[in-house]
Amino acid sequence: MLRIPRLLCLCLCWPALLFAQKKNEAWKLPLSRAVSPIKIDGIIDEEAWRYAAVAKDFRMVLPMDTSAAKLRTDVRMVYDQQRLYILVENYTDGSKPYMVESLRRDFSFLKNDNFILFMDPFDDQTNGFAFGANAAGAQWDGLMYDGGKVDLSWDNKWVSAVKNYPDKWVFEAAIPFKTIRYKKGVTQWGINFSRNDLKTTEKSAWAPVPRQFPTASLAYTGTLQWDTTPPPAGPNISIIPYLLGGVSKDYAAHGNTTWRRDAGLDAKIGITSSLNLDLTVNPDFSQVDVDKQVTNLDRFELFFPERRQFFLENGDQFSNFGYSTLRPFFSRRIGLGVPIQFGARLSGKLNKDWRLGLMNMQTAAKDELLLPAQNYTVAALQRRMFTRSNLGFLFINKESLNYTPPQETGKPVYSQYNRNFGLEYNLASSNNFWTGKALVLKSYSPDRSGSDWATAANLQYTSKVWNIGWQHEYVGHNYNAEVGYVPRRGYIKVAPTATRLFFPVSGPVLSHGPQVTSTWFMDEQFHRTDNETMLNYGLVFRQRNTLNVWTSNTYIKLLQAFDPTNTGKDSLAVNTTHSWNTVGADYVSQPQQLFTYAFSARYGGYYAGGRRLMLNTELGYRFQPYVSIAMSANYNDIRLGAPWGYNSFWLVGPRLDVTMTNTLFFTGFMQYNEQMKNINLNARLQWRYRPASDLFIVYTDNYLPEPFYVKNRALVLKLVYWFNL
């Protein structure tokens, strides 16, 4: 087992680094009770706003963080017994219209004129909530975790309005106390406000944030100072039933038309003001976006992100344990292709220092696969350490119920159980310059023992001009995470990286500089199996367009037979070695233009002395704020010797988004994947007829390109309603 680097151990113990005072202690916004009723309409005519304190004098974050913001932004907040209110005046230069993508909820922050509120009710600089809107009125909300990341899958009940004037746009919102979680009696909440304006390319914040960090960074919040203790949220119980009807047919299997009638229920119960119980019975996720396909030329399993809301809400304690390719828990292992019968999750804060997450899910048996009913239990406990660091524990248990492995050969065999224990320390200094992680994992399976450990650590330093990092991992060949994402086992990985930025005083380039990364894989005897070293030079322009040019050297020793085209042709032999050089470039256009585009290309060697050319482009045009058209295209040209020869793969994906209002959305897209020989069509209409209540109509087709005929087809109608008790 590898040991944590000495440098990381020293950093974990730096008292001065970890106990430093909150950075923006001087930024305080007094909060008082509203003296009059407030109507959410974007019109400033209520007496309550005349007496509210004003947060103003925003500081610029981008392009540079050394001056006051050029655009004026004034923020007022008040409250009553049920809601927290916010009013924002976003002044503009008046010379150009606002810039937005669409009226769709949870828009891209950097591609819209917008205002966002970041709120830390526990003032722990780690977890919180985010609310905001773009200049056309599309809402943006999410759960905050890891001190500055936002999970936009969180969706709850609150109301807002945006109104445009010649010299400003006004955002007004009411957030029910039942929507958020907070500790009773805490009168100081962390808070910050962020403004993005594409016309001037200015991003600003009320409490100043260094430009190398997102304005969501909770290490740099100011303070919302209540005039008394916040009102209790009161009973907080929500019942969310759904009704579903659908029809489908599998033409490829010559199947009959199948009709579907279904119903299910979700419930949210506030155990305390900061601890929530989520229940689900017969959940359905048919309205979730399908995965974005990719051309697969990798030797290992690809990662596709979780999109089902039940698993994403407040799930960072489970899903963020570990690293991107070393995750002991990956919720997509639960219920894909197998019906979920019921589930429960208890999550939230016990107090300022302790977080708890408990989840239990039950899936049904599937006879045609001889798959038994399975139960999944996940428990996470997190303890705050020092100012912003924490120590976390994770336990995962997957159990096959009433299952005896079959004696006949050729039938699938499933494990009777798989368990994982994990311990993880997350480092975050008070100023966010130093971040890191150290973890250890242990698995238990009936047929595996010895070398069933995994351990990893990383440390990263981020300043305005330097970004220096180190990461290493060890995964034993018997480490088994059946409910996780661990695409390879039996390896040691070392990955240092360094970036240096330069900032010209004037000219079109805002910053530029080199980056060096090197990733080494070794077997458990420290023999090299993989290595990729890359030199990149990046440029960020003042108009926010970016350009990167790079070159890399790759070495691979195959530990398993591998088809370099992933098309089922012959495979390269085990223990053969391959090396090549590659050059590439990536360009992303200015986000403030109606027509946007991105382009990337790479050319160089490939396995067995072959050559590979890859071209990728993404084009977009918006008729703001109602219509957005996008086209993505990926082309791979691979030239190898016999038996593979010449191979080319197209992956094309046009997409249409129509947002008729901020409650009525249509999305239609196609994906043509030449490698998989599939054409996928998907169309979805969503009507949010009440806050957090939706009607979905989803249509899906899959075709075989040559000869062209339909493989399967489905139509689903789903109605969801949110009751507050």
Side-chain angles (χ1 to χ4, degrees):
M1 185 186 307
L2 295 182
R3 296 180 179 178
I4 299 173
R6 184 175 300 175
L7 178 60
L8 178 59
C9 295
L10 292 173
C11 291
L12 300 182
C13 302
W14 282 355
L17 187 70
L18 300 173
F19 289 105
Q21 184 182 18
K22 184 177 178 179
K23 291 302 169 187
N24 289 327
E25 190 72 30
W27 273 258
K28 297 182 183 294
L29 177 63
L31 180 67
S32 58
R33 184 179 290 269
V35 298
S36 70
I38 295 177
K39 180 182 179 181
I40 304 302
D41 54 10
I43 301 173
I44 313 173
D45 56 359
E46 291 90 357
E47 186 179 5
W49 296 126
R50 291 175 52 200
Y51 295 95
V54 183
K56 55 184 179 180
D57 299 327
F58 277 45
R59 301 289 299 179
M60 188 184 296
V61 178
L62 292 176
M64 295 301 294
D65 57 4
T66 55
S67 66
K70 296 178 181 178
L71 295 178
R72 174 183 167 190
T73 308
D74 293 347
V75 183
R76 294 171 173 84
M77 294 185 71
V78 294
Y79 71 95
D80 61 20
Q81 195 64 26
Q82 290 82 34
R83 300 172 187 85
L84 185 65
Y85 298 91
I86 181 170
L87 175 77
V88 186
E89 296 175 89
N90 300 280
Y91 288 87
T92 64
D93 61 13
S95 62
K96 299 177 182 178
Y98 58 75
M99 303 297 296
V100 298
E101 283 183 299
S102 68
L103 296 170
R104 181 170 294 280
R105 192 185 188 96
D106 296 333
F107 48 83
S108 173
F109 178 89
L110 291 176
K111 295 181 180 179
N112 291 260
D113 290 349
N114 63 70
F115 173 90
I116 306 291
L117 155 71
F118 302 111
M119 183 165 49
D120 177 10
F122 282 83
D123 202 24
D124 64 1
Q125 304 174 61
T126 305
N127 303 99
F129 301 87
F131 299 91
N134 68 15
Q139 289 186 336
W140 195 93
D141 56 0
L143 286 175
M144 302 191 66
Y145 63 97
D146 278 1
K149 299 176 183 176
V150 182
D151 176 9
L152 294 176
S153 66
W154 183 76
D155 197 1
N156 221 303
K157 298 184 74 170
W158 60 288
V159 295
S160 66
V162 165
K163 190 171 181 62
N164 282 266
Y165 298 88
D167 63 335
K168 64 184 176 182
W169 59 276
V170 173
F171 166 63
E172 191 173 24
I175 304 167
F177 289 115
K178 290 184 178 183
T179 294
I180 58 179
R181 308 283 177 257
Y182 56 94
K183 187 66 176 178
K184 182 179 179 181
V186 177
T187 59
Q188 288 191 347
W189 293 8
I191 202 162
N192 207 354
F193 312 111
S194 176
R195 167 97 181 270
N196 189 52
D197 187 84
L198 291 177
K199 297 182 296 295
T200 60
T201 69
E202 178 180 86
K203 183 170 75 167
S204 59
W206 171 58
V209 180
R211 71 178 308 277
Q212 68 266 31
F213 301 126
T215 47
S217 178
L218 296 180
Y220 290 91
T221 56
T223 301
L224 183 67
Q225 184 67 59
W226 291 75
D227 60 353
T228 185
T229 56
N236 190 358
I237 301 176
S238 299
I239 305 297
I240 314 166
Y242 78 84
L243 295 173
L244 182 145
V247 58
S248 63
K249 185 172 182 178
D250 189 342
Y251 291 86
H254 305 288
N256 296 323
T257 299
T258 302
W259 293 90
R260 182 182 175 193
R261 304 169 187 85
D262 219 339
L265 181 73
D266 288 344
K268 295 178 178 292
I269 303 171
I271 305 299
T272 69
S273 61
S274 56
L275 192 64
N276 198 68
L277 175 64
D278 292 277
L279 304 172
T280 187
V281 178
N282 193 33
D284 171 82
F285 307 103
S286 57
Q287 80 279 10
V288 173
D289 276 341
V290 299
D291 291 320
K292 184 177 180 179
Q293 297 183 24
V294 297
T295 299
N296 181 13
L297 297 173
D298 199 88
R299 292 173 293 150
F300 304 101
E301 177 190 14
L302 297 180
F303 179 86
F304 292 96
E306 176 63 89
R307 298 179 182 274
R308 298 171 294 175
Q309 190 172 15
F310 181 85
F311 293 101
L312 289 171
E313 284 190 20
N314 211 22
D316 62 281
Q317 273 189 279
F318 309 126
S319 60
N320 291 328
F321 205 100
Y323 293 96
S324 60
T325 56
L326 180 53
R327 296 207 181 279
F329 178 74
F330 180 39
S331 57
R332 281 185 68 117
R333 304 295 187 204
I334 303 174
L336 280 185
V338 180
I340 297 176
Q341 295 178 315
F342 55 83
R345 183 182 64 234
L346 179 68
S347 60
K349 287 265 193 180
L350 300 177
N351 54 41
K352 188 173 183 177
D353 294 325
W354 288 94
R355 289 183 74 202
L356 174 69
L358 296 172
M359 182 167 65
N360 185 271
M361 304 295 294
Q362 178 69 45
T363 62
K366 197 162 185 177
D367 291 338
E368 60 266 30
L369 298 177
L370 301 178
L371 176 64
Q374 294 181 320
N375 183 267
Y376 300 81
T377 300
V378 189
L381 187 64
Q382 193 177 88
R383 175 64 162 88
R384 184 188 183 203
M385 307 283 288
F386 310 112
T387 303
R388 299 182 59 244
S389 304
N390 61 71
L391 182 67
F393 168 80
L394 185 70
F395 167 72
I396 305 161
N397 182 62
K398 173 188 175 184
E399 197 90 23
S400 296
L401 306 179
N402 303 317
Y403 174 66
T404 302
Q407 301 300 317
E408 300 90 341
T409 60
K411 293 188 176 181
V413 177
Y414 301 95
S415 61
Q416 293 181 296
Y417 69 86
N418 175 247
R419 300 181 183 114
N420 267 256
F421 290 87
L423 192 66
E424 178 178 274
Y425 179 79
N426 288 283
L427 166 73
S429 66
S430 61
N431 62 6
N432 215 42
F433 277 52
W434 289 94
T435 55
K437 177 182 289 192
L439 68 94
V440 61
L441 302 165
K442 176 73 165 66
S443 68
Y444 296 86
S445 300
D447 57 343
R448 297 172 185 259
S449 62
S451 297
D452 51 5
W453 289 82
T455 182
N458 82 292
L459 179 66
Q460 183 166 320
Y461 172 77
T462 306
S463 71
K464 187 176 299 186
V465 298
W466 283 104
N467 188 319
I468 302 173
W470 167 277
Q471 179 176 332
H472 76 256
E473 301 172 6
Y474 161 74
V475 178
H477 62 271
N478 276 330
Y479 176 70
N480 186 24
E482 293 184 12
V483 198
Y485 178 74
V486 186
R488 61 190 295 174
R489 295 193 296 259
Y491 72 89
I492 297 166
K493 174 184 175 181
V494 176
T497 180
T499 304
R500 175 66 162 92
L501 291 179
F502 302 92
F503 296 88
V505 176
S506 60
V509 176
L510 173 64
S511 65
H512 62 91
Q515 180 185 62
V516 179
T517 60
S518 187
T519 304
W520 295 74
F521 284 92
M522 296 165 279
D523 61 23
E524 292 176 275
Q525 287 73 45
F526 290 91
H527 300 137
R528 183 177 68 150
T529 61
D530 299 68
N531 170 233
E532 182 175 65
T533 300
M534 176 180 291
L535 174 63
N536 175 84
Y537 204 93
L539 297 95
V540 178
F541 297 89
R542 295 187 186 274
Q543 294 299 313
R544 296 196 183 178
N545 46 323
T546 62
L547 172 66
N548 288 278
V549 292
W550 55 270
T551 182
S552 68
N553 173 263
T554 302
Y555 168 85
I556 292 176
K557 179 181 180 180
L558 291 176
L559 303 181
Q560 294 179 336
F562 174 62
D563 171 12
T565 65
N566 268 342
T567 57
K569 295 183 179 179
D570 201 2
S571 296
L572 296 168
V574 176
N575 291 326
T576 57
T577 60
H578 310 266
S579 62
W580 62 83
N581 297 316
T582 308
V583 295
D586 307 282
Y587 179 79
V588 179
S589 69
Q590 302 171 17
Q592 62 268 37
Q593 295 183 345
L594 295 178
F595 174 65
T596 58
Y597 55 94
F599 178 81
S600 56
R602 59 176 292 166
Y603 178 75
Y606 199 54
Y607 292 92
R611 310 296 291 176
R612 178 189 175 193
L613 169 68
M614 188 279 290
L615 302 174
N616 186 78
T617 185
E618 294 186 10
L619 309 175
Y621 192 86
R622 59 180 184 264
F623 302 89
Q624 60 179 24
Y626 302 111
V627 179
S628 177
I629 302 172
M631 166 67 82
S632 63
N634 177 271
Y635 174 72
N636 276 273
D637 180 292
I638 300 174
R639 298 175 185 268
L640 294 162
W644 303 279
Y646 168 70
N647 298 267
S648 65
F649 303 119
W650 278 100
L651 179 63
V652 182
R655 181 183 180 102
L656 172 68
D657 280 288
V658 181
T659 55
M660 290 151 273
T661 69
N662 59 2
T663 59
L664 186 61
F665 318 116
F666 172 81
T667 299
F669 64 89
M670 181 194 82
Q671 296 185 97
Y672 166 58
N673 190 325
E674 187 175 10
Q675 185 187 38
M676 293 181 62
K677 295 180 173 56
N678 187 71
I679 298 175
N680 170 252
L681 298 178
N682 184 273
R684 182 181 64 180
L685 180 69
Q686 177 185 359
W687 175 33
R688 175 146 290 189
Y689 58 92
R690 294 193 60 179
S693 301
D694 297 283
L695 173 68
F696 296 97
I697 302 176
V698 183
Y699 178 78
T700 303
D701 260 352
N702 283 287
Y703 294 88
L704 183 71
E706 295 178 6
F708 184 81
Y709 71 84
V710 62
K711 295 195 290 185
N712 52 69
R713 179 174 289 161
L715 175 67
V716 172
L717 175 69
K718 181 178 180 180
L719 181 68
V720 182
Y721 191 86
W722 186 306
F723 293 95
N724 277 342
L725 303 182

